[in-house]
Every structure is written in C-alpha cells, then in structure tokens.
Amino acid sequence: MASPGSGFWSFGAEDGDNERDNPSTAKAWCQVAQKFTGGISSKLSCESLLYGEGEKSPDPGTKEEMSSENKGVPSPYDKEACKCQQRGNDFSFLYSTDLLPAKNGEADTLRFLQEVMDILLEYIVKTFDRSTKVIDFHYPNELLQGYNWELSEQPQPLDEILLNCKTTLQYAIKTGHPRYFNQLSTGLDMVGLAADWLTSTANTNMFTYEIAPVFVLLEYVTLKKMREMIGWPGGCGDGIFSPGGAISNLYAMLIARFKMFPEVKEKGMAAIPRLVAFASEHSHFSVKKGAAALGIGTDSVILIKCDERGKMMPTDLERRLIEVKQKGYVPFFVSATAGTTVYGAFDPLIAIADVCRKYKVWMHVDAAWGGGLLMSRKHRWKLNGVDRANSVTWNPHKMMGVPLQCSALLVREEGLMQNCNQMHASYLFQQDKHYDLSYDTGDKALQCGRHVDIFKLWLMWRAKGTTGFEVQIDKCLELAEYLYNKIKNREGYEMVFDGKPQHTNVCFWYIPPSMRNMEDNEERMSRLVKVAPVIKARMMEYGTTMVSYQPQGDKVNFFRMVISNPAATLQDIDFLTDEIERLGQDL
Amino acid sequence: MASPGSGFWSFGAEDGDNERDNPSTAKAWCQVAQKFTGGISSKLSCESLLYGEGEKSPDPGTKEEMSSENKGVPSPYDKEACKCQQRGNDFSFLYSTDLLPAKNGEADTLRFLQEVMDILLEYIVKTFDRSTKVIDFHYPNELLQGYNWELSEQPQPLDEILLNCKTTLQYAIKTGHPRYFNQLSTGLDMVGLAADWLTSTANTNMFTYEIAPVFVLLEYVTLKKMREMIGWPGGCGDGIFSPGGAISNLYAMLIARFKMFPEVKEKGMAAIPRLVAFASEHSHFSVKKGAAALGIGTDSVILIKCDERGKMMPTDLERRLIEVKQKGYVPFFVSATAGTTVYGAFDPLIAIADVCRKYKVWMHVDAAWGGGLLMSRKHRWKLNGVDRANSVTWNPHKMMGVPLQCSALLVREEGLMQNCNQMHASYLFQQDKHYDLSYDTGDKALQCGRHVDIFKLWLMWRAKGTTGFEVQIDKCLELAEYLYNKIKNREGYEMVFDGKPQHTNVCFWYIPPSMRNMEDNEERMSRLVKVAPVIKARMMEYGTTMVSYQPQGDKVNFFRMVISNPAATLQDIDFLTDEIERLGQDL
C-alpha cells in the first residue's frame, strides 16, 4: 500500500499487475473489442487494460489475498511499466482550454470525449462481469489520504483528468453488477444510460417549453400514461417528476394541505387548525421528514399499526382518525404504502380508501418502490385500489430500473399543483409569449430549475414496451420467490415474517452454526444483532456481493434482500446464500 | 410540412436535404472527423450528415425561407433517400433485450452505445457552430402531432430508438450555442459533460459512503473549498448539494427556523411564535415559495425596498424589522441576494450583516447567480460581507458553467443540518457499520436518495483550476460591459437603470424607429410592452439567438441580457444588437 499522503494518481503499475494477474479478464475484453467493428476496437484491443488489481475474481477461500498490502491504494505511478499510458500521453499537453469552444478545438474535443467514452464502455462491460468485484472497498481515510483530491489554483492537463475518471470508477460501486443487492435501485439499463448521456448533452431545464420543448412534451405524454396505468379515468390529472421519492411525498402532503386549507399558502400554519397525518409504522421516514419541513411537526404524524406482514391495519387507522377528530384536530393526509422499504408490504388500499372517503381525508399512495408492479399483469392486483388515491408517488428508478434519478408524483385533480405552488414570477413565466403557455410547467413545481429526468424513462419505455418492463419485473419477483423457497426451511436461516414475499423483499436472519442450538434468550439476541453487520462488512471487504441489513421494531438486525436488477439470475441468488454461509460460519 | 398526425419518426429525407442545402457544414464536419484518428472518423466521415434542414445558417434577409413549409415537421420517412440510414439498418433487428446484461451482449452493446455517442458528438460540434440555429422552434401542437411519441405495449427496435435520440436533439435548444443568452445557465463545458456522462454510468446515490465512496469524499472536499472561498475560518461548516437554488434557499430557511426554535421539528408551527422572513423586492421568488411550503406563509415574507439599481436598502430592512418586532412577531431570516435574477444587483452584505447581528436574525445570502464571482480576484469584492452569512446558496451551474444541475447550500454552523433533518432511519443509516459514519451524509438531507451532482463540478475545477474559472467569468463580465458601453447612448436603446452592470445582466428597452419621437405617455407604454415579446418570438422563429425579457415592478417588458457562456464573443454581442434591430425595425 502506498504510504498515506503519497498524493498522486496512479494507474501505471496497476495495469501491469492486471495483465499478469488476470489474463482471463483482459482476454475477454479484447475479444469483445475485436468483435466490435467500430472505432473503439482499434484502441481497446490493446493487450493491456486500464484497470488494476482488486478487479480480479476474488477467491472465496483466500482471505489473506485481501490483506491491506494487496487491497491498499495502488503503488506509485511508474511510466515505464504501462503501455496504456503511452496512449494517455497524447493528452498530457492538452488542457480544457484546448477543447470546444476553443478555436479549432473540434478534433481534440472529439478525441477527448471518445477517450472518456472508452473508459465508460470498459466500465460498463466490467459491471456485468461476475468475475469483477462489486466494490473495491477502502475506508474513508485510506481513500482521502491515498490520493490528491484537492482543488487548486492551477489547471491539470487532460491526461490527469482522464486518470481522475479512471480512479473514480475504480473505487465506485458497480450498482449494475448482478450481485449488488444493497438498495432498491440497482441495475444499469443500456438504453436508459444512453438517454441519460443525451440528457446531459442537451443540458437544459424543465421550467418552460421554450427551453425544453421535447422534454416537456415527453413528460406530458409519460405522466398521462402513468395516470392511465394507475386507473384514473382517461389518464386525467396532473403530476411532475421530482428529485426523489421523499420530495414526491412532500409534494403530496403540501398539495393535500393546500386543498383543504388554501389560505395556508399566504397565512401559514398559524391560520389553520392543527393538522394530523397518518402512515403505517413501516412507512418511509420521508412522511415524517415532510411533516417536519412543512411546519406540521413529526408529533402530528401518527404511525398506524401493521399486521405481522407489515401491512397497515385499516381498523387501527379508523380508530386513530376518530381519536384525532375527538381531540379537535384535523386529519388531512393518509399515506398508504405500496411496497414498504423493508418488508415490501402492500397496504390494503381499498380498505384504506374506504376509510379516507368516510372521513374525507386525502389519500396518498407511496408506491415509490411498488409502483413498478403496475406494469405486470401478474402482480398489479397488489395495488388494487390505487385508482382511488388522490396522489401517488411512483419511482421508475427503483423497480423499473431507470437510471437515478426518476421519481414521479401523480395527482388526480388537475390544476391543484399550479394553484398550490405558483408565485407568478414574471421574469420566467411571461404571460405574453407566442405559444400555448399550459406547457410551461415550472410554476407548479416547488423548485425553480428542474432537472430533466424524463427522457431516460420515456426512451426505455419505447425500447422495452410495457411488456418489456413486465418481463423484467416478473423475473425479479420470481427470483425473490426462489430465494424464499430455498431458505424458508433451510438450516441456519430464520424468516423475519412468514409467507411468500409480495414484493422482491426477502427478510431473514442467518444463524451461524455456533448459535443454532441456543435458547431464545437475551444472550442469543445480543449475539444475533452482530451477525449481519459482520457478514456485511466481510462482503464489502471481499467485494463479492452486497446486501442490506437493519433492525425493524423489536426485531434485531436481519438481512433484507431485494432484487430489482434484471441482470440477476438464479445462480446469483445461490451465490448470495453460499457467500453468507461462507462468511458467517465462524461467528 | 407533414400532415399532422402522420405519426412516425423521420430523418431520411432530411439527410438528403442537408447535403444539398448545406454542403459547407457537412464538409466542415467531415474535415473534423477525418482529422480525428480514432474510431468515429470511419463512421462519421461519410458524405452525408444526420441532421436536417432548419440547421442551415439562417439568412437574416429571407424570412420567406422560414415559412411553415420549410420549417415544418419533416416530410415522411424515405429509406431510399438516405445514405446514413443504411448504417442505421444494422440496428433494425436488434432490441434492448439484445444488449447487456444479455448473454453475449457485449458487442451489440458497444456498437449501440458508440452509435449514440456519435450522435451526441455531432450535436456537440454543431452546438458551437454559429451557422446552425439555436433552436428549430415548433409550436407544441405541431411537435405533438407531427410525431408519434406514444408509449405502447410492444418494444421498438434499436434503430427506432436511435432515431428518437436524433429527433429529440433536432428540436432541442442548443443551450451551449454562443448566441443563446436566454437563461442564467448557458454553455456546454466539455469536461463537465464528460463528468456527467461518468456520473450517469456510475448510477448511484449520495446517501451513504457505502454506495458512493468517491463521490461522498469529493463532495466533502469541494464543499470545504467553497466555504474557504466564502471566507469562513478554516473552511469549517456544513453543506449539501441540492436539486437547485430554490431548494437550497428552502433548506436555509428550514435550518434557520430550527436553529431558533428546535421544537418546531416535532411540534410544528403551532408551537412557536409567528415568524417573519425578509428579502428584497428584487429577490428570487423561491423565498416566498419556501415560506409557503414551510407553513410560514407568503404574507410573512416582507419585501424590502431596493434602490434604483435593485439593491436592498438596509435602512428599510431595519425599519421593517423593528415594525415586525413591535407587532410581537419574530424576525428569523433575512435573505440577501448576491446577484439578483433580473438586474444582477448585489445587496450590500456588510450593512445587512450589521442589521442581522443587531437583531439576532439568521443571515442567508442567495448567491445562486452571483456566487461564481468569488472565483474572480477582480470581482469578488461585490460579495464583501458574505463571510458573515449563516448560510449561502451558490449555484455552480450558473456563472461557473457546470452542467445542470449543481447547486450548493453552505452552512456556517456544523451539525445543524443533521439535527434539523435527521430521522434516524435504521434501514439506511445503520449505526453499527464498519466505517466512519460521519461520511454518511444522507440523514442531513431533506431528500432520501440524492442525485450525484458533485463530480462534474469537481472535475471541472481540477481541469480549469480556480484561475480557469476566473478567466471565463471575467470574460463574461467584460462582454457585458462591452454591451453596456455599446448601447447606453445608442439610438433606439434605453437603459432600465443607469450605470455599469455589476454582474453580466444588461437590462434595456429597444425602441423601434416608429416610437422614437413619441411622448412618454400611456400610449407609448402600451406599445412598448409588446415590442420585446414580438422580437423574442421572431428570434425563436428564425432560431438565430435567444434573450429573455420581462417586466419588473412598474417597468414594462424589457430585455434582460445575461452572459454566462464562455463561448460567447464580442461578435456575438454585436450579432445580438443587429438582430434586435433587424427584427424590431418595423414595429
């Protein structure tokens, strides 16, 4: 390992190492590159690779191989040792000021961007290669001290910039890797990625049709389609793409409050009665975060009891609603969850809708995670009743595999968002422009500038069709069922709740051999709480796979497996359980 | 023009047209492509181009050329007419399911992504080519009806997807075009763009170090550097990159409220006194939008008078603060603006800081637009006093030319954001992980998932150095001064306010010849109000340039010129005034 603070970017030595240590990966890459008849083949069928050690297939048996000496920050840069570096040298006398819009900057620009693209293409191929690591993990102080990340007065030449790109990707987590199960958003969709590159290149903002004509129209078309899938008549209603599910939920709460008390916009919470919101005890924390931000307060979010599967109990909802009304407070917002974060539970939407109608409360459905199931004829029944919601959060960046970030808030009543949020900024939303101003969507947003999140979803939908999303979603659910069937009666596993998973969440404890005959007492709990964190830490050090763990209520740390990556297969599920057993056997 | 509803994607005929009509652009592109020794040359030095009519250099003299027949939606697709199409045919039997993670999908994936990249590279070169249009404008119903944008059950082959990409870019506005002056965010930085492509490829989320190790560290390094530039001792403090300046301002208000009344988080606004916020009458509308969202109410935002240059008057601020206190309300937040949206005015920060200290009110500086000037030794004095702020909004996506979106909120007091926003979601922010948890930044955000906005800023800063940003910012300010000097005494122009611009905003009326001898009465006003909208509409129809207009207070529609694109030159400024005069002479 380089001494901390050695402080420069290094790839040369690694490339040499890689060639020696991992000829099979190098060979596979070159075969791919040679098959490809376009431009990058000539550059990439070179005999050496850009990536370093630590990328080689980790051998489960040899923990020693991963000692700090091997997995540490690469050793200092050695120009002589690197063939690829000779290629890179082309950029050592070039600076960003030589690129467009510099005069005669086209050729250098194309060469530079193509070089970046080659780096990205190589990373993409590696992402799906099971012989590469999911992550080459280093502790924060190691990474901070091992390189010079500082920002200085003077510019760096473009070869340094290209090295920066490579280093960044070297330590990045491969979120598209078939064995990365850590988050609800996994996978790397090629059409979605291409669309995101195009979005970056178009580099515009969503607030007016004037500056984003096509994107504004695509948002219009796509939101309408999503509302149709929710089941609102004619796809009517409103909506917006927002920066993530938490903000979408905040939007919903904001609009619900405005609907009931429009004067709150001008006069604030002081002018209206005390409001109370409801969500299940398994709901996402963003409901509370939203209530805190909106000046409602987290104490005014009542968490409704769930059954053993994590579904909200409508009887408890009604009981608490009555209680609140008796105190003279105003229930204004019920957030049902369609696909909870940990259990993947679907709240009973029809029963909740009945309660909401009876007490005239805004019904929101947080389908950030479960909304994707609307694409599946086999699974969409789990959201039955969603058409009765007043608003729905649906994150295509989760189960539909759209690149981050892509979250929609759909609202049943048209015009409400606009009335709630508009401030009539005349310098942005001129009313005397020469086109139909209903396409200027900016004033209904909480934001001013708004990132273009629509194109990747729209283009993926074109490329897959609804049926394509259906196939990949059904497959993920099948894999979850396979895992469930595999471990439900297997020695060393305990399920957190009984029954087939409704979503792809499979929640379980792994019980190491030494604990299997222990009585269910405090000592056992105090040992069990440590099992998942240790296994997870070891997974990350080996870089072989990643899966999340957490406690929930009175249940101590358990694994929460989720599958949203179409790249995952039965073998990857088998790999995961093998890996848990390998890493946990000594605990 | 194709008949509305003809409903399919068309490029073939256009390619032919382009070759005929604009041989010079085609030739220039091929020269560039031939110079380039990498892969794309072989594909792109083909004799035809992908882009269609309407891209040719608009001749200011021939409005007829832009009749609806010419500028309409392209005529139906004709396979025979298009040479490029033959290349595209390679993708007509391929679907997204043939790409990775499909078995043996590497070669097709690389070919597809390279094809996308070629489309993007061509768009980039055109962006900086003054002979291309800024926008090929069509009315919403024309675009909606001219193509089939619908989402269907069945997938489209990849050649259709590539056509979708081309069409989207054909009608996109070239925000990097040297004559696009419409927004505060303009330009297309090559290193920033490369970084954004990499960010898309890494496809991760900012909430934990675990899944975004390098990006989290780069955010840490960059925020510290930005705080140093603000002048906070040792760069200490806190901060976050948020989805835009409006949300950054909302964060500031949220944190200021929490600092004064931490109980608001649990108990809401009902438990605390009535709060009042202050900002100038020229401040951004997001201060009001934030107050509405946070349950404070827009009536509790007091707009402080400005001088004739649009700067907040500290004496009026103090007067209104006293008034509010006398009413028994609590002043809690003053938002000073460093670079107002319309005038580009810098509020007097030192005097405002004195008032804030005297009355113990949180001082926020909205430097979304003006923050970039901190990079310039020549201009940073305009923000003198910013170091006394409690929080600062600074959008590198504006004056620093970072791709959208990139907005930072900087907070002087460390730990406050975390305390204000954290909800301790145990499934995301496990406290028993094996690394230093202070790098898990997610719980201080209002969002849950958070897009990676840091890499493009960090990589650009590496590539330019602070001095590189300085050069490009100084240049934009020089151009603004050139424009000001040119028009301040020129016939047909009236300045909206006197004196040299402080930022790149130059605000003026164009007075058509027929109005130059009119008395300053109501009739003149009623005509003047229509001048800028008509000229702007004509600019867009010709596609030659774009600049914003708006009213402000009692001043009717005037042009607001802003310059943030390093690609702009003196000749582009001259072009703008020539174009205004050409398009407005008959009014």
Side-chain angles (χ1 to χ4, degrees):
Chain A
M1 185 163 115
S3 60
S6 62
F8 47 83
W9 297 85
S10 154
F11 274 87
E14 282 182 290
D15 293 329
D17 284 356
N18 191 80
E19 259 181 289
R20 284 194 308 275
D21 295 354
N22 197 6
S24 66
T25 307
K27 200 174 153 201
W29 170 260
C30 290
Q31 282 170 346
V32 166
Q34 279 157 0
K35 264 190 272 177
F36 169 56
T37 58
I40 58 165
S41 62
S42 58
K43 300 165 102 187
L44 293 185
S45 61
C46 69
E47 64 220 82
S48 67
L49 283 167
L50 298 169
Y51 278 78
E53 63 170 343
E55 284 293 340
K56 63 202 160 198
S57 177
D59 177 353
T62 54
K63 171 72 182 159
E64 291 67 28
E65 209 175 84
M66 301 299 297
S67 70
S68 64
E69 202 175 335
N70 270 343
K71 76 180 173 66
V73 180
S75 60
Y77 178 46
D78 174 3
K79 278 210 177 189
E80 300 310 310
C82 174
K83 288 169 190 157
C84 282
Q85 193 53 38
Q86 289 161 14
R87 191 174 84 210
N89 275 342
D90 294 342
F91 294 99
S92 60
F93 297 104
L94 282 179
Y95 287 85
S96 65
T97 43
D98 297 312
L99 305 178
L100 286 171
K103 204 172 174 215
N104 301 322
E106 293 92 339
D108 286 332
T109 300
L110 293 175
R111 213 156 53 83
F112 169 73
L113 292 177
Q114 184 63 43
E115 192 75 18
V116 170
M117 191 46 47
D118 291 350
I119 293 169
L120 300 183
L121 292 177
E122 186 164 351
Y123 179 79
I124 289 163
V125 170
K126 282 174 171 291
T127 284
F128 295 103
D129 176 358
R130 287 177 179 76
S131 74
T132 67
K133 285 174 142 195
V134 175
I135 185 171
D136 180 9
F137 181 78
H138 296 269
Y139 290 92
N141 59 343
E142 285 175 4
L143 270 191
L144 263 182
Q145 293 168 4
Y147 290 102
N148 170 16
W149 311 92
E150 292 307 316
L151 300 167
S152 67
E153 291 294 305
Q154 296 309 316
Q156 302 284 320
L158 292 180
D159 64 341
E160 289 292 322
I161 297 305
L162 291 166
L163 284 172
N164 290 179
C165 289
K166 290 171 194 163
T167 305
T168 299
L169 287 176
Q170 190 189 5
Y171 297 110
I173 196 148
K174 297 199 192 77
T175 55
H177 196 288
R179 291 171 184 168
Y180 172 75
F181 304 109
N182 206 61
Q183 308 291 145
L184 303 184
S185 301
T186 66
L188 187 61
D189 186 273
M190 291 302 109
V191 172
L193 179 60
D196 219 21
W197 290 345
L198 185 147
T199 301
S200 300
T201 310
N203 191 35
T204 195
N205 224 321
M206 290 296 284
F207 35 55
T208 58
Y209 177 85
E210 180 175 321
I211 67 160
V214 178
F215 298 133
V216 164
L217 294 182
L218 297 184
E219 189 172 82
Y220 172 84
V221 166
T222 309
L223 286 171
K224 183 162 187 288
K225 181 79 179 177
M226 293 173 87
R227 290 189 300 262
E228 284 169 8
M229 301 202 71
I230 285 170
W232 289 335
C236 288
D238 213 333
I240 202 164
F241 282 84
S242 94
I247 301 289
S248 290
N249 286 343
L250 182 144
Y251 261 115
M253 200 181 273
L254 182 64
I255 295 165
R257 177 176 72 178
F258 176 79
K259 171 73 177 171
M260 194 174 269
F261 297 103
E263 63 270 33
V264 74
K265 182 175 175 181
E266 285 84 29
K267 305 201 176 305
M269 292 294 290
I272 67 171
R274 180 165 163 188
L275 302 180
V276 179
F278 303 81
S280 90
E281 50 189 4
H282 281 241
S283 66
H284 191 261
F285 69 89
S286 56
V287 178
K288 281 202 163 192
K289 222 164 204 176
L294 301 188
I296 292 163
T298 54
D299 287 354
S300 296
V301 178
I302 293 185
L303 298 184
I304 305 300
K305 277 190 196 145
C306 290
D307 66 16
E308 69 291 347
R309 293 289 302 264
K311 294 164 183 283
M312 185 196 283
M313 296 169 72
T315 48
D316 193 52
L317 172 64
E318 183 161 16
R319 187 177 67 78
R320 302 300 297 270
L321 265 166
I322 293 169
E323 241 175 56
V324 161
K325 284 172 86 82
Q326 281 168 347
K327 284 184 188 162
Y329 306 149
V330 178
F332 83 110
F333 184 78
V334 172
S335 179
T337 312
T340 59
T341 314
V342 179
Y343 282 19
F346 288 79
D347 287 347
L349 301 185
I350 292 172
I352 292 169
D354 288 342
V355 175
C356 287
R357 186 174 50 192
K358 187 169 170 188
Y359 296 93
K360 298 191 173 55
V361 182
W362 182 283
M363 177 180 173
H364 174 64
V365 175
D366 178 0
W369 172 224
L373 271 58
L374 290 169
M375 313 297 274
S376 162
R377 281 162 291 190
K378 190 172 170 191
H379 296 287
R380 62 166 293 140
W381 63 269
K382 294 167 186 174
L383 288 104
N384 277 353
V386 69
D387 57 308
R388 293 178 59 189
N390 299 96
S391 58
V392 177
T393 292
W394 175 356
N395 288 7
H397 71 216
K398 293 196 162 88
M399 199 60 203
M400 289 163 71
V402 177
L404 291 156
Q405 141 179 109
C406 189
S407 169
L409 176 75
L410 294 312
V411 182
R412 193 192 179 110
E413 182 178 331
E414 211 178 331
L416 205 51
M417 293 191 78
Q418 180 82 10
N419 290 336
C420 176
N421 290 320
Q422 70 185 347
M423 292 290 153
H424 304 286
S426 57
Y427 64 85
L428 195 52
F429 310 114
Q430 302 88 345
Q431 296 305 299
D432 44 12
K433 284 192 289 196
H434 63 306
Y435 60 84
D436 177 357
L437 298 174
S438 69
Y439 291 98
D440 283 0
T441 62
D443 215 12
K444 70 182 176 190
L446 193 54
Q447 306 154 259
C448 173
R450 189 159 57 91
H451 191 257
V452 178
D453 293 333
I454 183 59
F455 190 62
K456 50 201 173 190
L457 169 59
W458 181 83
L459 198 69
M460 280 174 68
W461 208 323
R462 294 283 287 198
K464 290 178 198 294
T466 309
T467 55
F469 281 118
E470 178 179 43
V471 166
Q472 74 185 43
I473 287 165
D474 285 356
K475 184 193 160 202
C476 289
L477 279 138
E478 276 162 30
L479 289 179
E481 196 171 335
Y482 171 81
L483 172 62
Y484 168 74
N485 286 327
K486 178 174 183 178
I487 64 175
K488 67 179 173 185
N489 297 317
R490 189 182 176 97
E491 197 188 355
Y493 291 84
E494 271 178 39
M495 304 311 291
V496 173
F497 57 85
D498 290 333
K500 212 170 80 174
Q502 277 213 295
H503 206 317
T504 69
N505 307 51
V506 182
C507 296
F508 60 91
W509 288 280
Y510 172 71
I511 316 289
S514 72
M515 286 179 60
R516 289 183 195 163
N517 296 318
M518 284 180 79
E519 271 179 65
D520 190 5
N521 56 22
E522 217 166 281
E523 194 204 333
R524 185 175 184 271
M525 278 300 128
S526 69
R527 280 185 58 186
L528 189 56
V529 73
K530 292 176 194 149
V531 170
V534 171
I535 293 175
K536 169 74 177 274
R538 289 177 177 177
M539 282 176 177
M540 288 180 68
E541 295 213 4
Y542 283 104
T544 48
T545 184
M546 270 175 79
V547 59
S548 187
Y549 73 86
Q550 68 287 298
Q552 169 90 34
D554 59 354
K555 298 184 191 328
V556 300
N557 282 329
F558 54 87
F559 285 113
R560 179 209 62 178
M561 176 67 175
V562 281
I563 304 158
S564 59
N565 187 352
T569 63
L570 293 178
Q571 288 73 37
D572 296 313
I573 305 297
D574 289 338
F575 180 87
L576 176 81
T577 52
D578 289 351
E579 193 67 355
I580 288 174
E581 291 166 25
R582 179 177 79 83
L583 298 173
Q585 63 185 343
D586 64 330
L587 295 179
Chain B
M1 187 162 116
S3 60
S6 62
F8 47 81
W9 297 84
S10 153
F11 276 83
E14 283 182 290
D15 294 329
D17 284 356
N18 191 80
E19 259 181 288
R20 281 195 310 275
D21 296 353
N22 196 8
S24 65
T25 307
K27 200 175 155 201
W29 170 260
C30 288
Q31 282 171 346
V32 166
Q34 278 156 1
K35 265 191 272 177
F36 171 54
T37 58
I40 57 164
S41 61
S42 59
K43 300 165 105 186
L44 292 187
S45 60
C46 68
E47 64 220 83
S48 68
L49 283 168
L50 297 169
Y51 278 78
E53 62 171 341
E55 285 293 342
K56 63 201 161 198
S57 177
D59 177 353
T62 56
K63 170 72 183 157
E64 292 65 31
E65 208 176 84
M66 301 299 295
S67 71
S68 64
E69 201 174 333
N70 271 344
K71 75 181 175 62
V73 180
S75 60
Y77 178 45
D78 174 5
K79 278 208 176 190
E80 300 310 309
C82 173
K83 286 168 190 158
C84 281
Q85 193 52 38
Q86 290 162 14
R87 188 174 89 212
N89 276 342
D90 295 343
F91 294 99
S92 61
F93 297 104
L94 282 179
Y95 286 85
S96 65
T97 44
D98 297 311
L99 305 178
L100 286 171
K103 204 171 174 216
N104 300 321
E106 292 92 340
D108 286 333
T109 301
L110 293 175
R111 213 157 53 83
F112 169 72
L113 291 177
Q114 184 63 43
E115 192 75 18
V116 170
M117 191 47 48
D118 292 350
I119 293 169
L120 300 184
L121 293 177
E122 187 165 352
Y123 180 79
I124 290 164
V125 170
K126 283 175 170 290
T127 284
F128 295 104
D129 177 357
R130 288 176 178 78
S131 74
T132 67
K133 285 175 145 196
V134 174
I135 185 171
D136 181 8
F137 181 78
H138 296 269
Y139 290 92
N141 61 341
E142 284 176 5
L143 270 189
L144 263 180
Q145 293 169 4
Y147 290 103
N148 170 16
W149 311 92
E150 292 307 316
L151 300 166
S152 69
E153 291 294 304
Q154 297 309 317
Q156 301 285 319
L158 292 181
D159 63 342
E160 289 291 322
I161 297 305
L162 291 166
L163 284 173
N164 290 179
C165 290
K166 290 171 196 165
T167 305
T168 299
L169 287 177
Q170 190 189 2
Y171 298 110
I173 196 150
K174 297 198 191 79
T175 56
H177 195 291
R179 293 172 182 167
Y180 172 75
F181 304 109
N182 206 61
Q183 309 289 145
L184 304 183
S185 301
T186 65
L188 187 61
D189 187 273
M190 292 301 110
V191 171
L193 178 60
D196 217 22
W197 289 346
L198 185 147
T199 300
S200 300
T201 310
N203 193 33
T204 195
N205 223 322
M206 289 298 284
F207 36 55
T208 59
Y209 176 85
E210 181 174 321
I211 67 161
V214 177
F215 298 132
V216 164
L217 294 183
L218 297 185
E219 189 172 79
Y220 172 83
V221 165
T222 308
L223 286 171
K224 184 163 185 290
K225 181 79 180 175
M226 291 173 88
R227 290 190 301 261
E228 284 169 10
M229 301 202 70
I230 285 170
W232 290 335
C236 288
D238 213 333
I240 203 165
F241 282 84
S242 95
I247 302 289
S248 291
N249 286 344
L250 184 144
Y251 262 115
M253 200 181 272
L254 182 65
I255 295 164
R257 177 176 72 178
F258 177 79
K259 170 72 178 172
M260 195 174 269
F261 296 103
E263 64 270 32
V264 75
K265 182 176 175 180
E266 286 83 28
K267 305 203 177 302
M269 292 294 290
I272 67 172
R274 179 164 164 191
L275 302 180
V276 179
F278 302 82
S280 89
E281 50 187 5
H282 280 241
S283 67
H284 192 261
F285 68 88
S286 58
V287 177
K288 281 201 163 192
K289 220 163 205 176
L294 300 187
I296 292 164
T298 54
D299 288 352
S300 296
V301 179
I302 293 185
L303 298 183
I304 304 300
K305 278 192 196 142
C306 290
D307 66 15
E308 69 292 347
R309 292 289 302 263
K311 295 164 180 281
M312 185 195 284
M313 296 169 71
T315 47
D316 193 53
L317 173 64
E318 183 161 15
R319 186 177 68 79
R320 302 301 298 268
L321 266 165
I322 293 169
E323 241 175 56
V324 161
K325 285 173 87 83
Q326 280 169 347
K327 285 184 187 162
Y329 306 150
V330 178
F332 83 110
F333 185 77
V334 171
S335 179
T337 312
T340 59
T341 313
V342 179
Y343 282 19
F346 288 81
D347 287 347
L349 302 184
I350 293 172
I352 292 170
D354 288 342
V355 175
C356 288
R357 186 174 52 192
K358 185 169 170 188
Y359 296 93
K360 297 192 173 57
V361 182
W362 182 284
M363 178 180 171
H364 174 64
V365 175
D366 177 359
W369 173 223
L373 271 57
L374 289 169
M375 314 296 274
S376 163
R377 281 164 290 189
K378 189 172 170 191
H379 296 288
R380 61 166 294 138
W381 63 269
K382 294 168 186 173
L383 289 105
N384 277 353
V386 69
D387 57 307
R388 292 178 60 190
N390 299 95
S391 57
V392 178
T393 292
W394 174 356
N395 288 8
H397 71 217
K398 291 195 164 88
M399 200 60 205
M400 290 163 71
V402 177
L404 290 157
Q405 139 181 109
C406 188
S407 169
L409 176 75
L410 293 312
V411 182
R412 192 189 181 115
E413 183 178 330
E414 210 177 333
L416 204 51
M417 292 191 79
Q418 181 82 10
N419 290 336
C420 176
N421 291 321
Q422 73 184 345
M423 292 290 151
H424 304 286
S426 57
Y427 63 85
L428 194 53
F429 310 113
Q430 302 88 346
Q431 296 305 301
D432 44 12
K433 285 193 287 196
H434 63 307
Y435 61 83
D436 178 356
L437 299 175
S438 68
Y439 291 98
D440 284 0
T441 62
D443 215 11
K444 71 181 174 189
L446 192 55
Q447 305 155 259
C448 174
R450 189 160 57 91
H451 191 259
V452 178
D453 293 332
I454 184 59
F455 190 62
K456 49 200 172 191
L457 169 59
W458 180 83
L459 198 68
M460 279 174 68
W461 207 324
R462 296 283 288 198
K464 291 177 198 295
T466 309
T467 54
F469 280 118
E470 179 180 42
V471 166
Q472 72 185 44
I473 288 165
D474 285 356
K475 184 193 159 201
C476 289
L477 279 138
E478 277 161 32
L479 289 179
E481 198 172 332
Y482 170 79
L483 173 62
Y484 167 74
N485 286 327
K486 178 175 184 179
I487 64 174
K488 67 179 172 184
N489 297 317
R490 187 183 178 94
E491 197 189 354
Y493 291 83
E494 273 177 38
M495 304 311 292
V496 174
F497 57 85
D498 290 332
K500 214 171 78 172
Q502 276 214 298
H503 205 319
T504 69
N505 308 50
V506 182
C507 296
F508 61 90
W509 289 280
Y510 172 71
I511 316 291
S514 72
M515 287 179 61
R516 288 183 197 161
N517 295 319
M518 284 180 80
E519 271 179 65
D520 191 5
N521 56 22
E522 218 165 278
E523 194 205 330
R524 185 175 186 268
M525 279 298 127
S526 70
R527 281 183 60 184
L528 189 56
V529 73
K530 292 175 194 153
V531 170
V534 170
I535 293 175
K536 169 73 177 276
R538 289 177 177 178
M539 282 175 176
M540 289 180 69
E541 295 212 3
Y542 283 104
T544 47
T545 184
M546 269 175 80
V547 60
S548 187
Y549 73 86
Q550 68 286 298
Q552 169 90 33
D554 58 355
K555 298 184 193 324
V556 300
N557 282 328
F558 54 86
F559 285 113
R560 178 208 63 180
M561 176 68 176
V562 282
I563 304 158
S564 60
N565 186 353
T569 62
L570 293 179
Q571 288 72 36
D572 296 313
I573 304 298
D574 289 338
F575 180 87
L576 176 81
T577 52
D578 289 351
E579 193 67 355
I580 287 175
E581 292 166 23
R582 180 177 79 85
L583 298 172
Q585 62 184 347
D586 65 330
L587 295 177

